[in-house]
Amino acid sequence: MSKYILALDQGTTSSRAILFNHEGHVHGCAQQEFRQIFSHPGWVEHDPDDIWQSQIDVARQVMQECGAAASDVAAIGITNQRETTVVWDRATGAAIGNAIVWQDRRTAGICDALREAGHAELFQRKTGLVLDAYFSGTKVKWLLDNVPGARARAERGELAFGTVDSWLISKLCGEHVTDTSNASRTLMFNIHTLAWDDELLALLDIPRSMLPRVVASSEVVGHTHAALFGQPLPIAGIAGDQQAATFGQACMRSGMAKNTYGTGCFMLMNTGADAITSHNNLVTTVGWTSGNGGRADTTYMLEGSVFMAGAIVQWLRDGLGIIQSSAEVEALAASVPDTDGVVFVPAFAGLGAPHWDAYARGTIVGMTRGTTKAHIARAALASIAYQTVDILSAMQNDSAIQLEELRVDGGASRNDLLMQFQADVLGVPVIRPVVTETTALGAAYLAGIAVGFWRSQQEVAAQWRMERRFEPNMGNDERAQRLRQWHRAVERSRAWVE
């Protein structure tokens, strides 16, 4: 009997591979960072070959380090940075250029033109998304318009588009597929019919022949080439990173919510079978699809996306040099009792939900001669919590659901100072699970259920365990005053780029 599920967690700054045992515990983990490419202001790119090579390297590494043979692995689950866009040659498998990363803002002008032409409501109604450079569709259009010969090759059916899940699967087993959760992030997928939409494709001028086949999040979609691991392994789970984290957090009932503190910050609330239209600048997205892959098997989510969360700490380290490692930020921030009036709005890549301002830029206000690097570090952590409050407020207005608790995960969720401040400014308990690798765990669960490693969603939900609960202890007046100050600073960051 197989002992493990292998989860491939392909993130924005690193690729990881984790072996999970039947209890949902981490048996082994390997991680490798890869290059970030910033060739122009507002542009963020990856080399698709770096993505693939780092991911296959860590997959082999974790199996070798754990002494796991291919026969010990029941299935592979894949979770990935979403919206990041790759276009490749079907015949050679070679990418036609760098991947355009979800953080990239180069297509803001394309979004403006579509909005000015009156198409925003159509895109939201069909896809659940706002017209923003964050999503994949305008990135594909940009590549076709700007890579020499790309559009003609696409029209001849020679090119394939995919988000990172599709790119990895094409390398692992030769299939061209994506799941509903990733498809729902492209601006080309109708989340109500669960199909690519010809009207939207026409507006974006993207040939349908480029698009992958859409599959359920939990089903066997192919088997890896035998040479990769010694024998073929089934690929049985696929989900975008935030949907996978929601599944891994066992937020399987309507009204449950989680927040992931990764490179960005992503809050998702389960709304069950209802695709609730947001009137507060959130997005409606597919959470996951199981069973036969139809609408009855689909769980929907409301989501708010913050572009800069853990990436702020990286900037303190690499950009300012005020810490030597990310782990130092908590002690530095805790060395002062508060921010001394400093407010940091980390709009380095514009503002995400609920503002959607592609032209906002990073701002630090309230500094005096007494401001130190500790105050800036504390303000940086506070900004992550404040952005989450803005999203929760919008989410509660859309859903009419009052959140009772927030489950948290991701690297920065291990920062106790941040989690306590998050509970304080949210006014609800923040709960951290024993297993914080919930993104990879969700992909493992989706794959494991598909091959019978676990029997049901109920079985995996029963494995969830709390590690620590942070209770809010800030008064209502202080909370309101801090949020007012935050919103004043946000206004000063907006529409900065002319």
Side-chain angles (χ1 to χ4, degrees):
M1 181 176 173
S2 299
K3 302 175 184 177
Y4 311 116
I5 299 291
L6 173 61
L8 305 183
D9 182 359
Q10 204 300 300
T12 308
T13 58
S14 68
S15 296
R16 299 191 304 160
I18 301 179
L19 284 173
F20 289 97
N21 63 20
H22 199 272
E23 288 70 45
H25 295 152
V26 174
H27 183 71
C29 177
Q31 180 170 355
Q32 186 180 126
E33 290 193 4
F34 59 90
R35 186 169 51 118
Q36 308 294 300
I37 302 168
F38 309 105
S39 55
H40 295 81
W43 290 27
V44 187
E45 298 178 344
H46 293 155
D47 182 332
D49 291 329
D50 289 349
I51 292 175
W52 161 243
Q53 196 60 54
S54 60
Q55 189 64 77
I56 192 64
D57 285 351
V58 292
R60 289 168 169 157
Q61 179 186 342
V62 74
M63 291 177 66
Q64 182 179 14
E65 289 178 353
C66 292
S71 58
D72 294 324
V73 177
I76 292 174
I78 294 173
T79 184
N80 55 284
Q81 52 166 318
R82 304 171 303 171
E83 299 94 22
T84 294
T85 297
V86 188
V87 174
W88 65 93
D89 186 294
R90 288 186 181 277
T92 67
I96 67 168
N98 283 337
I100 302 180
V101 178
W102 57 272
Q103 296 165 313
D104 190 285
R105 309 310 295 166
R106 78 184 67 178
T107 64
I110 299 174
C111 296
D112 290 343
L114 288 166
R115 200 176 297 111
E116 288 162 8
H119 300 307
E121 190 276 333
L122 176 70
F123 276 95
Q124 186 188 30
R125 176 162 46 85
K126 290 191 171 190
T127 71
L129 307 177
V130 298
L131 263 175
D132 189 82
Y134 175 32
F135 303 107
S136 308
T138 57
K139 301 181 196 301
V140 183
K141 175 176 171 55
W142 190 95
L143 285 166
L144 294 183
D145 289 342
N146 289 275
V147 175
R151 182 163 293 285
R153 293 167 68 191
E155 297 288 356
R156 293 195 297 268
E158 297 172 7
L159 299 184
F161 150 73
T163 42
V164 168
D165 58 311
S166 298
W167 171 245
L168 292 177
I169 292 168
S170 74
K171 294 293 190 183
L172 287 165
C173 72
E175 295 288 337
H176 185 209
V177 300
T178 191
D179 88 299
T180 51
S181 74
N182 279 294
S184 73
R185 314 298 296 187
T186 62
L187 284 173
M188 299 179 278
F189 185 74
N190 188 316
I191 63 171
H192 309 289
T193 64
L194 299 181
W196 300 117
D197 191 282
D198 288 326
E199 185 177 12
L200 302 179
L201 290 172
L203 288 171
L204 291 165
D205 199 15
I206 295 171
R208 190 184 182 95
S209 63
M210 296 183 69
L211 306 183
R213 177 169 60 93
V214 181
V215 298
S217 311
S218 183
E219 69 167 297
V220 177
V221 300
H223 290 76
T224 61
H225 300 304
L228 292 175
F229 298 105
Q231 70 180 55
L233 296 176
I235 300 170
I238 313 167
D241 52 10
Q242 301 314 316
Q243 290 96 328
T246 310
F247 200 85
Q249 281 276 36
C251 293
M252 294 167 185
R253 297 192 316 276
S254 182
M256 297 183 74
K258 71 88 202 175
N259 199 29
T260 295
Y261 301 81
T263 301
C265 209
F266 303 89
M267 184 184 289
L268 278 77
M269 177 183 281
N270 186 328
T271 62
D274 298 322
I276 294 175
T277 298
S278 175
H279 301 287
N280 292 278
N281 290 325
L282 301 180
V283 302
T284 308
T285 197
V286 172
W288 49 79
T289 302
S290 55
N292 297 317
R295 198 179 190 286
D297 303 303
T298 298
T299 297
Y300 290 93
M301 306 271 156
L302 278 172
E303 176 179 340
S305 305
V306 167
F307 297 154
M308 296 288 289
I312 305 165
V313 179
Q314 285 183 319
W315 179 75
L316 294 178
R317 181 192 69 191
D318 302 335
L320 290 190
I322 64 174
I323 52 175
Q324 298 303 306
S325 70
S326 296
E328 295 174 17
V329 72
E330 183 174 3
L332 179 61
S335 69
V336 290
D338 54 43
T339 68
D340 196 29
V342 175
V343 183
F344 185 165
V345 183
F348 293 90
L351 287 169
H355 311 287
W356 295 109
D357 184 347
Y359 304 104
R361 286 297 179 265
T363 307
I364 303 177
V365 299
M367 291 187 290
T368 67
R369 285 289 299 273
T371 298
T372 68
K373 62 182 181 180
H375 295 117
I376 292 172
R378 192 165 184 122
L381 292 182
S383 75
I384 300 172
Y386 287 136
Q387 291 176 99
T388 300
V389 173
D390 288 348
I391 288 173
L392 179 62
S393 298
M395 201 167 273
Q396 292 185 151
N397 288 335
D398 277 334
S399 66
I401 297 170
Q402 291 299 305
L403 194 68
E404 295 180 3
E405 65 181 34
L406 181 66
R407 294 185 175 186
V408 298
D409 55 68
S413 72
R414 293 188 282 271
N415 186 314
D416 290 350
L417 179 71
L418 172 58
M419 291 301 99
Q420 182 59 55
F421 189 72
Q422 185 70 87
D424 289 343
V425 293
L426 277 176
V428 299
V430 166
I431 300 178
R432 186 169 62 202
V434 170
V435 179
T436 56
E437 301 290 359
T438 52
T439 302
L441 180 59
Y445 280 157
L446 288 164
I449 291 170
V451 298
F453 191 80
W454 291 289
R455 292 187 302 273
S456 64
Q457 292 187 18
Q458 291 73 25
E459 180 183 359
V460 299
Q463 294 186 343
W464 187 90
R465 295 287 185 274
M466 179 179 74
E467 184 263 327
R468 182 165 174 182
R469 182 182 180 95
F470 297 86
E471 293 285 352
N473 59 17
M474 182 181 287
N476 290 336
D477 290 345
E478 182 181 354
R479 181 182 303 120
Q481 188 274 331
R482 286 177 181 265
L483 290 170
R484 274 195 304 272
Q485 189 180 46
W486 160 252
H487 290 132
R488 288 176 64 210
V490 168
E491 285 306 310
R492 283 156 174 77
S493 77
R494 299 198 62 177
W496 183 256
V497 178
E498 296 178 345

